[in-house]
Amino acid sequence: FRSTYALATNYKTWAELDAGADPKMKEQEVELARINMRITDCIESWHRVIEEVNPDLSLPDSGKMPTMIRVLVTQVRPDKVNDYLALVKSDILPAVKKSGAKDYSIAQSRFGEPATVIASVLGFNNWAELDAGVGPQKALGKEGYAALLAKVTPLIVSSEYDIYRFQPDL
């Protein structure tokens, strides 16, 4: 059994990546270093990807952490990135809105993956929601979703879904 964890950190500017330790945590510095060492000892491997969220292709932040997220990582054909993003704007985002989703974002890789890698993150509440489909699948129904996939397929190399559950205790 292997567990995979994702840590997402949002920054408003690139300069925020330069920030060091929080000065308010000075007294806890030694304890935090010890905790980080314990965490590092448990990690088999890690991979850092820096992505830029496209607000024009995303829903506004709901302000509430979804219980679960479906992360779709799509490798787009290099000559079709603009076509793929246009399809997100014209077909996928409207379908996500129609589905009633509250949390949805599109991000393009900037570092750690090729710029042709696009991640879409869709929030939902529980596994049972997958029975009816989430996002475009829910909004478009079986035939409509098949038609959408027929438009998407020629634009991509591959895509992979992962599902993560928010772990508030971590």
Side-chain angles (χ1 to χ4, degrees), residues 23-41:
K24 296 175 193 167
M25 301 297 287
K26 185 75 171 161
E27 292 179 24
Q28 292 83 16
E29 199 172 278
V30 172
E31 184 65 15
L32 288 172
R34 188 186 67 74
I35 291 168
N36 283 331
M37 286 294 284
R38 287 186 62 204
I39 291 171
T40 301
D41 288 344

Side-chain angles (χ1 to χ4, degrees), residues 94-108:
V96 167
K97 289 177 181 177
K98 183 179 175 185
S99 76
K102 303 291 183 233
D103 295 285
Y104 179 77
S105 64
I106 290 283
Q108 189 168 3

Side-chain angles (χ1 to χ4, degrees), residues 1-18:
F1 179 72
R2 179 193 281 180
S3 295
T4 300
Y5 295 89
L7 171 64
T9 306
N10 294 316
Y11 299 98
K12 292 188 187 307
T13 66
W14 291 106
E16 291 179 47
L17 290 167
D18 293 326

Side-chain angles (χ1 to χ4, degrees), residues 68-145:
M68 300 173 80
I69 58 172
R70 183 205 67 191
V71 179
L72 169 62
V73 177
T74 303
Q75 174 71 47
V76 180
R77 295 185 187 283
D79 59 330
K80 299 294 183 183
V81 171
N82 289 334
D83 295 337
Y84 180 82
L85 295 174
L87 185 65
V88 170
K89 187 172 190 169
S90 67
D91 292 41
I92 297 172
L93 182 59
V96 167
K97 289 177 181 177
K98 183 179 175 185
S99 76
K102 303 291 183 233
D103 295 285
Y104 179 77
S105 64
I106 290 283
Q108 189 168 3
S109 293
R110 295 297 181 220
F111 301 101
E113 295 283 356
T116 56
V117 174
I118 310 291
S120 68
V121 178
L122 177 73
F124 62 104
N125 296 311
N126 52 54
W127 288 103
E129 286 188 45
L130 296 175
D131 291 333
V134 293
Q137 191 176 17
K138 177 181 179 182
L140 301 174
K142 189 175 185 177
E143 290 177 10
Y145 188 64

